[in-house]
Amino acid sequence: MPKAFKRRAPPSSGPTPYSAASRPSATGSAAPQRNNNNLVSANTGLGQHFLKNPAVVAAIIERASLKPTDVVLEIGPGTGNMTVPMLEKCKRVIAVEYDDRMVREVMKRVEDAPHSSKLSIVQGDVLKTALPFFDVCVANVPYQISSGIVFKLLSHRPAFRCAVLMFQEEFALRLSAKPGEALYCRLSVNVQLLARVDQLMKVGKNNFRPPPKVESRVVRIELRNPPPPVNFTEWDGMIRLLFNRKNKTMRAVLMTKSTIKLLEDNYKTHLSLNSDGGSTMDTDVPKVTELIEEVLSMEEWKNKRAAKLEIDDFLSLLAEFNKRGIHFA
């Protein structure tokens, strides 16, 4: 076996994102087996749907614009349908795979190939695995961990050139949805704050084995570099509140009792952390409701709804709240 193959045991602590489909015992009736055509069967409980159309594989790899000097991260290589042709185009492929059956399949498939020394396999849960340096990520993503993978990639440093990923169609469309569109949501805003998203191609369900219940799409994600100068935790705190009822006015959303209580607690915490030991906690402190009203009565925010706001609008809104001591985390 080529020395380049590296297998790591999956983490033993904590549930995995695939826990609903944890591996059955060898005697269990649900254990994936080879079918009559001697093809390894997909474990759909792990989100496995193997891309079988070589034309689609070639199109995805072409859109990744791989260079001979690139290190490629592949998440979930499956049986290696994309792994093998990528090995011919790049310097190295690092494949992260949870299912040990798939690890064996890929290793067996490439062991006699001329580029086998370019492949390294990491066996484990990708959401719990420290990702190595890479230039490009290419993946047919298990649908149930799509969001987790996206935000893991968005927070990865050093920044990579791009990620070309296949998702369930509705999830993919949410990533690039614009204000006013039905699919525009918290996911859209958070991803577009940190990255540019381009829709590349639609992939019909019959291109997979077994066919999934929904259509798929391939997107390209490119990180914004440098990243926006904003505290993402606080940003997401505001976006989460506003998109709980995105079609309501922001005043209606933020002036509820539970939200006021949250913002009052945050206000007191930040005031305490930034005080010089004086008694400002009890005197001359404006009510949080008054501060919220002050911001939302401004012409640019009056009667506005989150569903119609752009990224720059949210950045300006957060800055206005912060200026008055209102924080969302």
Side-chain angles (χ1 to χ4, degrees):
M1 196 62 64
K3 293 182 180 179
F5 292 128
K6 300 176 182 177
R7 294 185 59 179
R8 301 178 189 173
S12 58
S13 61
T16 84
Y18 313 99
S19 56
S22 53
R23 296 179 211 164
S25 65
T27 57
S29 59
Q33 303 291 335
R34 289 182 178 273
N35 60 26
N36 293 333
N37 294 323
N38 204 35
L39 296 173
V40 65
S41 298
N43 185 337
T44 54
L46 295 180
Q48 291 176 352
H49 295 276
F50 303 137
L51 183 58
K52 65 180 184 179
N53 187 334
V56 176
V57 171
I60 292 174
I61 295 174
E62 180 182 1
R63 298 301 181 91
S65 300
L66 300 182
K67 302 175 182 178
T69 56
D70 280 341
V71 174
V72 177
L73 174 70
E74 184 180 13
I75 299 171
T79 58
N81 289 346
M82 281 202 293
T83 313
V84 173
M86 286 196 298
L87 288 173
E88 300 173 2
K89 294 179 175 291
C90 65
K91 178 181 179 181
R92 187 181 176 205
V93 173
I94 303 171
V96 181
E97 174 58 63
Y98 179 77
D99 189 345
D100 55 5
R101 299 177 309 126
M102 297 302 109
V103 173
R104 292 194 295 271
E105 283 296 312
V106 175
M107 292 172 67
K108 182 168 65 175
R109 182 166 179 177
V110 306
E111 63 183 348
D112 295 325
H115 304 290
S116 61
S117 61
K118 293 182 178 182
L119 176 64
S120 298
I121 300 178
V122 179
Q123 184 180 359
D125 176 352
V126 67
L127 296 182
K128 296 180 180 179
T129 299
L131 299 181
F133 167 84
F134 61 92
D135 299 291
V136 177
C137 177
V138 179
N140 174 15
V141 178
Y143 293 158
Q144 65 265 47
I145 57 170
S146 296
S147 183
I149 286 178
V150 166
F151 284 101
K152 181 160 184 132
L153 290 174
L154 291 178
S155 64
H156 181 74
R157 296 297 181 272
F160 50 91
R161 189 168 74 249
C162 73
V164 177
L165 310 172
M166 180 141 56
F167 295 113
Q168 178 182 352
E169 183 173 36
E170 182 175 317
F171 182 89
L173 292 173
R174 286 182 184 276
L175 293 177
S176 61
K178 301 303 179 186
E181 296 179 354
L183 293 178
Y184 190 57
C185 62
R186 176 186 170 199
L187 175 70
S188 316
V189 174
N190 282 342
V191 171
Q192 292 172 42
L193 172 75
L194 302 173
R196 172 183 171 181
V197 181
D198 294 313
Q199 299 288 331
L200 299 183
M201 56 191 291
K202 183 174 180 176
V203 181
K205 61 181 73 173
N206 291 330
N207 291 289
F208 299 87
R209 175 178 67 82
K213 296 180 180 179
V214 296
E215 305 293 292
S216 300
R217 275 186 175 269
V218 179
V219 304
R220 178 170 50 240
I221 297 176
E222 298 177 11
L223 294 180
R224 300 195 186 280
N225 195 11
V230 63
N231 180 322
F232 183 78
T233 302
E234 178 159 17
W235 163 274
D236 185 50
M238 183 184 76
I239 297 301
R240 183 177 62 252
L241 285 173
L242 294 178
F243 274 89
N244 276 340
R245 295 183 295 166
K246 68 177 183 178
N247 291 311
K248 297 287 186 180
T249 65
M250 293 191 292
R251 185 187 183 282
V253 174
L254 296 179
M255 295 298 280
T256 62
K257 289 183 179 179
S258 59
T259 301
I260 293 297
K261 176 66 167 60
L262 171 67
L263 297 180
E264 284 177 343
D265 290 344
N266 289 349
Y267 185 88
K268 293 174 183 178
T269 298
H270 281 268
L271 194 63
S272 176
L273 292 174
N274 293 287
S275 69
D276 57 3
S279 58
T280 56
M281 289 291 291
D282 300 314
T283 61
D284 300 325
V285 177
K287 290 183 179 179
V288 166
T289 52
E290 295 174 356
L291 297 174
I292 296 174
E293 288 281 14
E294 185 179 324
V295 173
L296 297 182
S297 63
M298 297 171 66
E299 191 60 34
E300 56 264 53
W301 313 123
K302 196 173 183 179
N303 297 323
K304 293 297 177 64
R305 293 161 170 78
K308 300 294 180 67
L309 296 185
E310 305 271 356
I311 298 290
D312 288 344
D313 296 328
F314 288 118
L315 287 170
S316 298
L317 180 64
L318 181 59
E320 290 293 342
F321 279 126
N322 287 173
K323 193 187 302 181
R324 291 162 176 80
I326 299 295
H327 294 274
F328 294 86

